[in-house]
Amino acid sequence: MLIKKVFFAISLNLLSCIITAEEIQPVNNFNISQYLGKWYEIARLDHWFERDMTNVSAEYSLHKKGGIKVLNKGLKKGTKWKTAEGRANFIGQEDQGLMKVSFFWPFSTPYLIFELDDAYQYAFVTSDSRSYLWFLSRKPCVTEDLKKHFERKIDSLEFDKNELIYVDQDCVKSNDTNVK
């Protein structure tokens, strides 16, 4: 019985790496070297693994065994830092913003960058369903115009905008300039 459950879980996992919403496509001309570094989470859809977290960021670097090292960090309920380390690998061509990321083997999920500005200052990311969504920025604070642009974009792609959470990044305390 256990073998059947494990096989079923692995099968679903493999299937999830293949399925993407047809109207949500990864960016082309993607350059991983420009994408590496620290990104701040500006907005997301709610999930248990990030619930009650503020000051959330993700750090991407080259992994010593190949692929990309992913280090997510957030302040849980304002008192304790939580981290999660994972690894991402490209699915298909390396010049497309489509990877699979795993935080606990053997499970992985697609990481689909569907909008990225030319200067690599902000990115809109989803997975293989509309239940995962992130708005990332190189700076912890962004302009209201960029937030509105994000909301229009996700609305056009039929994400549930009402479920969106804007992450507290202590922008008032930050000396960082806004991403436009």
Side-chain angles (χ1 to χ4, degrees), residues 96-113:
Q96 286 190 326
L98 181 60
M99 295 172 259
K100 63 179 178 176
V101 66
S102 176
F103 287 94
F104 26 135
W105 186 88
F107 303 102
S108 65
T109 189
Y111 181 97
L112 191 155
I113 304 163

Side-chain angles (χ1 to χ4, degrees), residues 61-69 87-89:
S61 59
L62 295 177
H63 196 283
K64 61 184 175 192
K65 295 182 180 178
I68 309 302
K69 177 182 172 184
R87 187 168 163 192
N89 292 295

Side-chain angles (χ1 to χ4, degrees), residues 150-167:
F150 173 66
E151 290 178 9
R152 283 190 303 273
K153 179 75 172 192
I154 65 169
D155 197 38
S156 74
L157 295 172
E158 300 178 3
F159 284 93
D160 189 353
K161 193 169 61 175
N162 296 322
E163 297 297 316
L164 200 57
I165 295 170
Y166 278 93
V167 180

Side-chain angles (χ1 to χ4, degrees), residues 4-18:
K4 286 182 182 179
K5 287 181 181 179
V6 170
F7 179 75
F8 180 71
I10 290 172
S11 297
L12 283 178
N13 181 47
L14 291 174
L15 213 57
S16 73
C17 292
I18 299 168

